[in-house]
Amino acid sequence: MVVGVFISFKALTQLYLAQWRDAPWAGLANYRIAVDFNAAVGQALLHSFVVTCAFTALAVGLSWLFGTAAAILAQDRFRGRGVLRAVFLTPYALPVYASVITWAFMFQYDNGLINHVLHDELGVTSRPTFWLLGDNSFIALVTVSVWRNWPFAFLVVMAGLQAIPRELYEASAIDGAGVWQQIRRVTMPSLRPINQVLVLVLFLWTFNDFTTPYVLFGNASPQPADVISVHIYQASFLTWNFGEGSAMSVLLLLFLLLVTGAYLIVTSRRRRHA
Amino acid sequence: MPRPSTTRPPMAPPRSFVWTRRIVLTLLTVFAVTPVYVMVSSSLKPLQDVTGAFRWIPARITISPYVDMWRTVPLARYFLNSVIVCTSAAALSVLIATFAAYAVSRFRFRGRRVFTIVVLSTQMFPGILFLLPLFLIFVSIGNATGIALFGSRAGLVITYLTFSLPFSIWMLTGYFDSIPRGLDEAALVDGAGPVRALFRVVIPAAFPGIVTVAIYAFMTAWSEVLFASVMTNDTTRTLAVGLRDYSTQTDVYWNQIMAASLVVSVPVVAGFLLMQRFLVTGLTAGAVK
């Protein structure tokens, strides 16, 4: 950590790798390059940052929605509920790289399942789509990320539901509330504390996710899906410019600290007022 | 009759609710299961069938991918590397986390709160932030002492410890807190030292939690890609990176990739099924605190 901040101030390139402490000081130059949005490096970083924010917002939102819907709908007893729970947890249980490779296979242009279904069977698209190149790669990335993370939301919300006292439902039923009203008036408000933690955790995981884009796209992420973690990795290890890479990591860390701090302050204040 | 585990009172739900439930849960099931089906079915197809257009029902079934996958890529070596690295990481993680969590849970000391916050905050840092510093620290340790951590299994174990320890400590602290203090205080009164009390009283009582932590550490290490791709070489490569070797310049052995993916998933899925009940308890205990 400390070393990370330290090297971000250095002009560290492959020339100095063996004696990295002797690398010349660069002062704030690395940072200046990273945030100079008129130059190529800064512009790429800004682009990647925007992509990551959009990706995170979408993926977290959908994961939360799917997980919560599934947990609430599967709350009552019905036949096959236990099996369903196990099925829902499989995406979360599989090792990330194994499942992401499978998704990469499904997204293949000529022998993948997605194009087979959309083009050959349903005829939605007039010609097969390139999913892992160009603009569609963003959709592919969001899909895989949601597939991977919604079971976690399901798991957490399911646990949260068990903590809601039975009496609340009984009282609302006596007051004449139907199932839908109970969900809106009893379940959702009671889940708020759990949701606050859940959304934060999902946000941090998704924002920092490296494995999914890296395994899905390999070493070269397509532009529309160039998320920040892979971007920094490429900036550091393909060009061996560790100083710049660390400067970007430190900026990323500051951003995450800021967002998390603001989030915690806002949510805890709201909780106190409630 | 046992009390139903649902929290909602037994009441016949309206039709609209039942239909929404059927539709949404069916769609989610399809979403969740399709990749698994693709993995299983494709791993049983001969190579020319996975390079052609996708078919839901395999035209021909063969188990040769499961045989060939060991030859295309030195999968056995990767497997062994993964097992060594992940088992060591899990064992060390449990050992260190048990002592740390016991200290945090049972003793008041200066900096206890700070320690907890630091441990938790490492969860939010992007892995990429640790990558460059660790890389350089390993290189300079190598230069100074001649111990080559970079590219070695030991280096990877140390790296994985930095991931799994924070969560392990956090979770075990929650577990230890839930064990009545009276239990180990009684042991102390009987003349046992704190370490003896830990081993004779606290650890047996917290055994499910300790198992969970071990499985958790094993699983995170098993699935890690970023550090494994940078910090290993041909002889120490782990499964997470090794699976990529199935795609060559000319051919991608999709059927063997799928077969290998299934095989490497087995230990993790088994571990997950073992611990999922404990995982939920641990997470919610942490969230409520």
Side-chain angles (χ1 to χ4, degrees), chain B residues 158-229:
Chain B
I158 295 174
T159 314
Y160 290 160
L161 275 181
T162 64
F163 296 159
S164 56
L165 270 180
F167 191 73
S168 308
I169 295 173
W170 186 41
M171 236 172 90
L172 271 186
T173 310
Y175 260 94
F176 288 175
D177 281 344
S178 70
I179 298 168
R181 297 177 70 91
L183 270 182
D184 44 316
E185 269 158 18
L188 291 177
V189 170
D190 289 347
V195 175
R196 223 178 126 80
L198 170 69
F199 276 96
R200 285 293 158 85
V201 179
V202 180
I203 289 184
F207 197 69
I210 291 173
V211 172
T212 311
V213 164
I215 297 174
Y216 169 80
F218 187 88
M219 282 173 55
T220 25
W222 193 265
S223 314
E224 206 283 324
V225 173
L226 171 58
F227 287 79
S229 71

Side-chain angles (χ1 to χ4, degrees), chain B residues 38 51 70 108 178 189 191 205 224 239 242 256 259 266 269 286:
Chain B
V38 170
T51 45
W70 304 97
R108 312 285 125 190
S178 70
V189 170
E224 206 283 324
L239 286 170
Q256 295 183 34
V266 169
V269 174

Side-chain angles (χ1 to χ4, degrees), chain B residues 47-199:
Chain B
L47 186 61
Q48 64 262 42
D49 285 9
V50 284
T51 45
F54 182 83
R55 288 176 63 110
W56 285 98
I57 315 286
R60 283 164 292 179
I61 287 188
T62 166
I63 57 156
S64 64
Y66 288 90
V67 181
D68 297 338
M69 67 182 187
W70 304 97
R71 263 176 298 157
T72 318
V73 159
L75 191 66
R77 195 202 304 148
Y78 298 159
F79 217 98
L80 189 69
N81 284 331
S82 274
V83 169
I84 293 175
V85 167
C86 299
T87 316
S88 324
L92 285 172
S93 191
V94 164
L95 190 73
I96 301 172
T98 304
F99 281 106
Y102 184 58
V104 175
S105 166
R106 289 298 192 259
F107 302 102
R108 312 285 125 190
F109 55 88
R110 279 239 313 253
R112 181 172 162 274
R113 256 193 84 78
V114 176
F115 179 75
T116 323
I117 291 173
V118 167
V119 158
L120 267 184
S121 61
T122 53
Q123 279 292 300
M124 66 175 279
F125 297 145
I128 194 90
L129 190 70
F130 293 108
L131 181 60
L132 305 176
L134 267 176
F135 181 84
L136 294 176
I137 290 171
F138 282 178
V139 167
S140 59
I141 288 179
N143 286 344
T145 62
I147 304 169
L149 281 175
F150 185 75
S152 72
R153 297 194 193 98
L156 214 52
V157 171
I158 295 174
T159 314
Y160 290 160
L161 275 181
T162 64
F163 296 159
S164 56
L165 270 180
F167 191 73
S168 308
I169 295 173
W170 186 41
M171 236 172 90
L172 271 186
T173 310
Y175 260 94
F176 288 175
D177 281 344
S178 70
I179 298 168
R181 297 177 70 91
L183 270 182
D184 44 316
E185 269 158 18
L188 291 177
V189 170
D190 289 347
V195 175
R196 223 178 126 80
L198 170 69
F199 276 96

